[in-house]
Amino acid sequence: MALALRWLRPLPALLQRSPFLLPRALPGAPPACPALLPEGCPQCLQHVLLSRQLATKKAKGKGQSQAKVSISAALVDDIINLEETSEDMQAVIEALKEDFSRNISVRTSPGALDHITVVTKDGKFPLNQLGQISQKSPQLIVVNMASFPESTAAAMKAIRESGMNLNPEVDGTLIRVPVPKVTREHRESLAKLAKQSTNKSKEALRKVRSKSISQVKKFKSKVSEDTIWLLEKQIQQMADEAVAEMDKLLAAKTKELLG
């Protein structure tokens, strides 16, 4: 009995050193992390999530598509507002849709002239604030500049340079705008205008992307390299998705114009 007790005395110490009973940190967490559960260490949870996403990307072999990056906005809110970036990109897309709808159509309507910008000595104004726009016939739109006769020449210039293939004629304070015939040449001209408008929108989108990435890079000294890489990757993905949507809009508008 005494011999058995001597053998049992070291058992508690051995059990304490057993790898089966030691607390285990989260997979991917820093070695010094004491956390047993994710909620026990928020900083390590963020590290784990980002590391797993990066590992997914690195695990992809050559010739395979990379995994889509998706970061919780709440985890990186102190670095950048991803929702705001998304809204800014969506605003560029909506502006392109509005331009297509209002300014690039086979049939010219009075509404298409409303927001043509007229540069006057007093500033810039939409055409519909300076003149009354009406359609006298399917082939003729008239702009009455009686309220601001001094701006008639500026309005003429704005209509001519609107990119809508319009050749206005002046008659006192009346500007007559013949509606172009729907010829193949006119359709092709509108299709080129749609492409130019799309390219301008893509340039605006690139500015949003660059601004967001610059914001992220300000935190290079404060967060890990993996975090910066993942954020830049997600912003680029958002921009790529927006460009793809613009290309679809352009394809649909081109088909509509060219038939």
Side-chain angles (χ1 to χ4, degrees):
M1 177 67 71
L3 181 61
L5 289 174
R6 266 200 312 270
W7 279 106
L8 289 173
R9 283 192 191 115
L11 185 59
L14 290 171
L15 288 174
Q16 289 178 0
R17 291 194 295 270
S18 170
F20 299 99
L21 297 181
L22 285 175
R24 287 181 294 173
L26 290 168
C33 175
L36 293 174
L37 296 172
E39 56 268 25
C41 184
Q43 290 183 346
C44 290
L45 174 59
Q46 180 176 349
H47 177 88
V48 170
L49 291 175
L50 295 174
S51 297
R52 283 176 181 169
Q53 292 168 17
L54 184 60
T56 302
K57 179 262 176 186
K58 289 180 178 178
K60 293 288 182 180
K62 288 185 178 180
Q64 295 180 336
S65 59
Q66 294 182 357
K68 183 176 180 180
V69 175
S70 181
I71 304 174
S72 170
L75 289 177
V76 295
D77 193 46
D78 54 339
I79 301 175
I80 187 172
N81 189 329
L82 288 175
E83 291 181 1
E84 186 176 303
T85 299
S86 178
E87 289 171 0
D88 289 344
M89 290 184 178
Q90 191 60 39
V92 175
I93 295 173
E94 293 302 319
L96 179 62
K97 289 180 182 178
E98 186 177 356
D99 186 39
F100 279 180
S101 175
R102 178 179 294 161
N103 300 325
I104 306 177
S105 176
V106 173
R107 299 268 180 201
T108 303
S109 65
L113 275 61
D114 284 350
H115 297 278
I116 290 178
T117 302
V118 181
V119 180
T120 72
K121 63 180 181 180
D122 297 318
K124 298 180 180 180
F125 301 92
L127 180 60
N128 63 355
Q129 290 186 11
L130 301 175
Q132 293 181 338
I133 306 172
S134 59
Q135 187 149 11
K136 294 300 182 181
S137 73
Q139 289 77 39
L140 181 65
I141 296 174
V142 173
V143 183
N144 189 338
M145 298 294 296
S147 298
F148 296 94
E150 69 280 5
S151 299
T152 302
M156 280 273 294
K157 184 174 185 287
I159 295 170
R160 188 177 291 113
E161 296 178 357
S162 66
M164 298 171 65
N165 194 33
L166 301 175
N167 295 300
E169 303 167 354
V170 66
D171 181 10
T173 58
L174 292 180
I175 300 175
R176 302 180 187 278
V177 186
V179 177
K181 292 181 180 179
V182 185
T183 62
R184 185 67 186 179
E185 183 181 358
H186 180 51
R187 289 176 179 272
E188 290 174 352
S189 176
L190 289 173
K192 288 180 182 178
L193 187 62
K195 187 172 183 179
Q196 290 172 6
S197 184
T198 303
N199 288 338
K200 287 180 182 178
S201 294
K202 287 181 179 180
E203 180 60 33
L205 183 71
R206 282 192 287 269
K207 290 180 180 179
V208 174
R209 181 202 61 190
S210 297
K211 180 182 176 182
S212 298
I213 290 179
S214 295
Q215 173 66 21
V216 168
K217 286 182 176 179
K218 292 179 182 178
F219 288 81
K220 269 191 172 182
S221 60
K222 299 180 182 179
V223 297
S224 71
E225 182 181 342
D226 288 354
T227 303
I228 297 295
W229 183 89
L230 285 165
L231 281 170
E232 289 181 355
K233 182 68 176 177
Q234 178 144 342
I235 292 168
Q236 183 61 52
Q237 282 178 181
M238 292 162 65
D240 290 343
E241 289 170 2
V243 167
E245 187 170 349
M246 288 181 184
D247 287 339
K248 287 180 181 178
L249 290 172
L250 176 60
K253 175 56 71 171
T254 301
K255 184 176 180 181
E256 172 195 322
L257 295 171
L258 299 180

mmCIF file of all heavy atoms in Angstrom, residues 183-206:
data_model
loop_
_atom_site.group_PDB
_atom_site.id
_atom_site.type_symbol
_atom_site.label_atom_id
_atom_site.label_comp_id
_atom_site.label_asym_id
_atom_site.label_seq_id
_atom_site.Cartn_x
_atom_site.Cartn_y
_atom_site.Cartn_z
ATOM 1 N N THR A 183 -31.284 58.104 -88.374
ATOM 2 C CA THR A 183 -30.497 57.430 -89.399
ATOM 3 C C THR A 183 -29.495 56.483 -88.732
ATOM 4 O O THR A 183 -29.259 56.549 -87.523
ATOM 5 C CB THR A 183 -29.721 58.451 -90.245
ATOM 6 O OG1 THR A 183 -28.817 59.151 -89.382
ATOM 7 C CG2 THR A 183 -30.678 59.451 -90.895
ATOM 8 N N ARG A 184 -28.905 55.616 -89.538
ATOM 9 C CA ARG A 184 -27.875 54.714 -89.015
ATOM 10 C C ARG A 184 -26.698 55.514 -88.466
ATOM 11 O O ARG A 184 -26.130 55.188 -87.420
ATOM 12 C CB ARG A 184 -27.400 53.775 -90.124
ATOM 13 C CG ARG A 184 -26.413 52.703 -89.671
ATOM 14 C CD ARG A 184 -27.086 51.718 -88.747
ATOM 15 N NE ARG A 184 -26.142 50.751 -88.185
ATOM 16 C CZ ARG A 184 -26.492 49.806 -87.342
ATOM 17 N NH1 ARG A 184 -27.746 49.708 -86.945
ATOM 18 N NH2 ARG A 184 -25.606 48.957 -86.875
ATOM 19 N N GLU A 185 -26.350 56.585 -89.152
ATOM 20 C CA GLU A 185 -25.244 57.433 -88.704
ATOM 21 C C GLU A 185 -25.552 58.044 -87.345
ATOM 22 O O GLU A 185 -24.684 58.118 -86.474
ATOM 23 C CB GLU A 185 -25.009 58.535 -89.742
ATOM 24 C CG GLU A 185 -23.826 59.435 -89.406
ATOM 25 C CD GLU A 185 -23.639 60.536 -90.441
ATOM 26 O OE1 GLU A 185 -24.401 60.576 -91.422
ATOM 27 O OE2 GLU A 185 -22.709 61.350 -90.247
ATOM 28 N N HIS A 186 -26.809 58.490 -87.162
ATOM 29 C CA HIS A 186 -27.200 59.086 -85.887
ATOM 30 C C HIS A 186 -27.143 58.047 -84.763
ATOM 31 O O HIS A 186 -26.682 58.335 -83.649
ATOM 32 C CB HIS A 186 -28.613 59.663 -85.998
ATOM 33 C CG HIS A 186 -29.105 60.299 -84.742
ATOM 34 N ND1 HIS A 186 -28.388 61.244 -84.036
ATOM 35 C CD2 HIS A 186 -30.272 60.111 -84.046
ATOM 36 C CE1 HIS A 186 -29.070 61.631 -82.969
ATOM 37 N NE2 HIS A 186 -30.218 60.955 -82.948
ATOM 38 N N ARG A 187 -27.600 56.830 -85.063
ATOM 39 C CA ARG A 187 -27.556 55.766 -84.064
ATOM 40 C C ARG A 187 -26.116 55.455 -83.646
ATOM 41 O O ARG A 187 -25.819 55.281 -82.469
ATOM 42 C CB ARG A 187 -28.216 54.506 -84.622
ATOM 43 C CG ARG A 187 -29.737 54.591 -84.759
ATOM 44 C CD ARG A 187 -30.279 53.339 -85.409
ATOM 45 N NE ARG A 187 -31.726 53.379 -85.536
ATOM 46 C CZ ARG A 187 -32.587 52.976 -84.608
ATOM 47 N NH1 ARG A 187 -32.131 52.503 -83.464
ATOM 48 N NH2 ARG A 187 -33.892 53.041 -84.814
ATOM 49 N N GLU A 188 -25.225 55.396 -84.641
ATOM 50 C CA GLU A 188 -23.818 55.108 -84.345
ATOM 51 C C GLU A 188 -23.183 56.242 -83.545
ATOM 52 O O GLU A 188 -22.345 56.009 -82.666
ATOM 53 C CB GLU A 188 -23.056 54.879 -85.641
ATOM 54 C CG GLU A 188 -23.434 53.581 -86.348
ATOM 55 C CD GLU A 188 -22.778 53.423 -87.704
ATOM 56 O OE1 GLU A 188 -22.134 54.404 -88.165
ATOM 57 O OE2 GLU A 188 -22.894 52.335 -88.306
ATOM 58 N N SER A 189 -23.596 57.481 -83.842
ATOM 59 C CA SER A 189 -23.092 58.632 -83.093
ATOM 60 C C SER A 189 -23.510 58.550 -81.622
ATOM 61 O O SER A 189 -22.718 58.834 -80.717
ATOM 62 C CB SER A 189 -23.624 59.927 -83.722
ATOM 63 O OG SER A 189 -23.236 61.047 -82.968
ATOM 64 N N LEU A 190 -24.752 58.144 -81.393
ATOM 65 C CA LEU A 190 -25.241 58.000 -80.023
ATOM 66 C C LEU A 190 -24.524 56.861 -79.298
ATOM 67 O O LEU A 190 -24.234 56.960 -78.101
ATOM 68 C CB LEU A 190 -26.750 57.750 -80.029
ATOM 69 C CG LEU A 190 -27.633 58.931 -80.426
ATOM 70 C CD1 LEU A 190 -29.089 58.480 -80.553
ATOM 71 C CD2 LEU A 190 -27.517 60.061 -79.419
ATOM 72 N N ALA A 191 -24.233 55.787 -80.016
ATOM 73 C CA ALA A 191 -23.523 54.660 -79.411
ATOM 74 C C ALA A 191 -22.117 55.080 -78.967
ATOM 75 O O ALA A 191 -21.646 54.689 -77.893
ATOM 76 C CB ALA A 191 -23.440 53.501 -80.397
ATOM 77 N N LYS A 192 -21.466 55.902 -79.796
ATOM 78 C CA LYS A 192 -20.140 56.424 -79.421
ATOM 79 C C LYS A 192 -20.248 57.321 -78.198
ATOM 80 O O LYS A 192 -19.397 57.293 -77.300
ATOM 81 C CB LYS A 192 -19.533 57.202 -80.591
ATOM 82 C CG LYS A 192 -19.083 56.329 -81.752
ATOM 83 C CD LYS A 192 -18.495 57.173 -82.882
ATOM 84 C CE LYS A 192 -18.078 56.308 -84.059
ATOM 85 N NZ LYS A 192 -17.550 57.121 -85.184
ATOM 86 N N LEU A 193 -21.310 58.113 -78.143
ATOM 87 C CA LEU A 193 -21.531 59.001 -77.006
ATOM 88 C C LEU A 193 -21.760 58.189 -75.724
ATOM 89 O O LEU A 193 -21.257 58.549 -74.645
ATOM 90 C CB LEU A 193 -22.740 59.899 -77.275
ATOM 91 C CG LEU A 193 -23.020 61.006 -76.259
ATOM 92 C CD1 LEU A 193 -21.865 61.993 -76.197
ATOM 93 C CD2 LEU A 193 -24.306 61.738 -76.621
ATOM 94 N N ALA A 194 -22.474 57.075 -75.851
ATOM 95 C CA ALA A 194 -22.713 56.208 -74.699
ATOM 96 C C ALA A 194 -21.399 55.623 -74.180
ATOM 97 O O ALA A 194 -21.183 55.526 -72.965
ATOM 98 C CB ALA A 194 -23.674 55.090 -75.077
ATOM 99 N N LYS A 195 -20.521 55.237 -75.109
ATOM 100 C CA LYS A 195 -19.225 54.679 -74.695
ATOM 101 C C LYS A 195 -18.365 55.743 -74.018
ATOM 102 O O LYS A 195 -17.712 55.469 -73.001
ATOM 103 C CB LYS A 195 -18.494 54.119 -75.913
ATOM 104 C CG LYS A 195 -17.212 53.369 -75.555
ATOM 105 C CD LYS A 195 -16.611 52.660 -76.744
ATOM 106 C CE LYS A 195 -15.371 51.867 -76.345
ATOM 107 N NZ LYS A 195 -14.776 51.152 -77.485
ATOM 108 N N GLN A 196 -18.383 56.962 -74.555
ATOM 109 C CA GLN A 196 -17.624 58.045 -73.937
ATOM 110 C C GLN A 196 -18.126 58.321 -72.521
ATOM 111 O O GLN A 196 -17.337 58.536 -71.592
ATOM 112 C CB GLN A 196 -17.743 59.307 -74.795
ATOM 113 C CG GLN A 196 -17.011 59.231 -76.126
ATOM 114 C CD GLN A 196 -17.317 60.418 -77.024
ATOM 115 O OE1 GLN A 196 -17.994 61.366 -76.613
ATOM 116 N NE2 GLN A 196 -16.828 60.376 -78.248
ATOM 117 N N SER A 197 -19.445 58.319 -72.368
ATOM 118 C CA SER A 197 -20.035 58.559 -71.050
ATOM 119 C C SER A 197 -19.644 57.463 -70.068
ATOM 120 O O SER A 197 -19.345 57.735 -68.897
ATOM 121 C CB SER A 197 -21.560 58.634 -71.179
ATOM 122 O OG SER A 197 -22.149 58.949 -69.947
ATOM 123 N N THR A 198 -19.613 56.220 -70.548
ATOM 124 C CA THR A 198 -19.218 55.094 -69.692
ATOM 125 C C THR A 198 -17.763 55.222 -69.270
ATOM 126 O O THR A 198 -17.411 54.972 -68.114
ATOM 127 C CB THR A 198 -19.431 53.762 -70.435
ATOM 128 O OG1 THR A 198 -20.798 53.661 -70.834
ATOM 129 C CG2 THR A 198 -19.082 52.583 -69.534
ATOM 130 N N ASN A 199 -16.905 55.625 -70.183
ATOM 131 C CA ASN A 199 -15.485 55.791 -69.855
ATOM 132 C C ASN A 199 -15.278 56.885 -68.807
ATOM 133 O O ASN A 199 -14.437 56.758 -67.911
ATOM 134 C CB ASN A 199 -14.685 56.116 -71.116
ATOM 135 C CG ASN A 199 -14.546 54.914 -72.038
ATOM 136 O OD1 ASN A 199 -14.671 53.773 -71.599
ATOM 137 N ND2 ASN A 199 -14.291 55.159 -73.316
ATOM 138 N N LYS A 200 -16.062 57.956 -68.911
ATOM 139 C CA LYS A 200 -15.981 59.026 -67.908
ATOM 140 C C LYS A 200 -16.421 58.511 -66.533
ATOM 141 O O LYS A 200 -15.829 58.847 -65.510
ATOM 142 C CB LYS A 200 -16.857 60.208 -68.326
ATOM 143 C CG LYS A 200 -16.296 61.016 -69.485
ATOM 144 C CD LYS A 200 -17.218 62.167 -69.834
ATOM 145 C CE LYS A 200 -16.678 62.968 -71.029
ATOM 146 N NZ LYS A 200 -17.610 64.081 -71.404
ATOM 147 N N SER A 201 -17.454 57.675 -66.535
ATOM 148 C CA SER A 201 -17.933 57.103 -65.272
ATOM 149 C C SER A 201 -16.891 56.163 -64.668
ATOM 150 O O SER A 201 -16.706 56.117 -63.449
ATOM 151 C CB SER A 201 -19.248 56.354 -65.507
ATOM 152 O OG SER A 201 -20.268 57.244 -65.890
ATOM 153 N N LYS A 202 -16.199 55.410 -65.510
ATOM 154 C CA LYS A 202 -15.158 54.515 -65.017
ATOM 155 C C LYS A 202 -14.003 55.318 -64.405
ATOM 156 O O LYS A 202 -13.401 54.889 -63.416
ATOM 157 C CB LYS A 202 -14.639 53.620 -66.148
ATOM 158 C CG LYS A 202 -15.624 52.539 -66.560
ATOM 159 C CD LYS A 202 -15.058 51.663 -67.671
ATOM 160 C CE LYS A 202 -16.032 50.559 -68.066
ATOM 161 N NZ LYS A 202 -15.500 49.705 -69.152
ATOM 162 N N GLU A 203 -13.714 56.462 -64.996
ATOM 163 C CA GLU A 203 -12.675 57.329 -64.441
ATOM 164 C C GLU A 203 -13.100 57.835 -63.067
ATOM 165 O O GLU A 203 -12.295 57.881 -62.129
ATOM 166 C CB GLU A 203 -12.421 58.500 -65.387
ATOM 167 C CG GLU A 203 -11.349 59.470 -64.906
ATOM 168 C CD GLU A 203 -9.991 58.827 -64.704
ATOM 169 O OE1 GLU A 203 -9.649 57.891 -65.449
ATOM 170 O OE2 GLU A 203 -9.273 59.262 -63.773
ATOM 171 N N ALA A 204 -14.365 58.217 -62.933
ATOM 172 C CA ALA A 204 -14.892 58.659 -61.631
ATOM 173 C C ALA A 204 -14.814 57.515 -60.615
ATOM 174 O O ALA A 204 -14.507 57.725 -59.434
ATOM 175 C CB ALA A 204 -16.326 59.144 -61.785
ATOM 176 N N LEU A 205 -15.073 56.303 -61.070
ATOM 177 C CA LEU A 205 -15.001 55.131 -60.196
ATOM 178 C C LEU A 205 -13.570 54.882 -59.729
ATOM 179 O O LEU A 205 -13.329 54.552 -58.563
ATOM 180 C CB LEU A 205 -15.533 53.911 -60.936
ATOM 181 C CG LEU A 205 -15.588 52.611 -60.129
ATOM 182 C CD1 LEU A 205 -16.682 52.684 -59.084
ATOM 183 C CD2 LEU A 205 -15.820 51.424 -61.049
ATOM 184 N N ARG A 206 -12.615 55.053 -60.641
ATOM 185 C CA ARG A 206 -11.204 54.864 -60.270
ATOM 186 C C ARG A 206 -10.781 55.858 -59.192
ATOM 187 O O ARG A 206 -9.984 55.527 -58.308
ATOM 188 C CB ARG A 206 -10.305 55.003 -61.510
ATOM 189 C CG ARG A 206 -10.294 53.763 -62.393
ATOM 190 C CD ARG A 206 -9.188 53.822 -63.442
ATOM 191 N NE ARG A 206 -9.506 54.769 -64.491
ATOM 192 C CZ ARG A 206 -10.155 54.466 -65.602
ATOM 193 N NH1 ARG A 206 -10.588 53.226 -65.797
ATOM 194 N NH2 ARG A 206 -10.394 55.372 -66.529
#
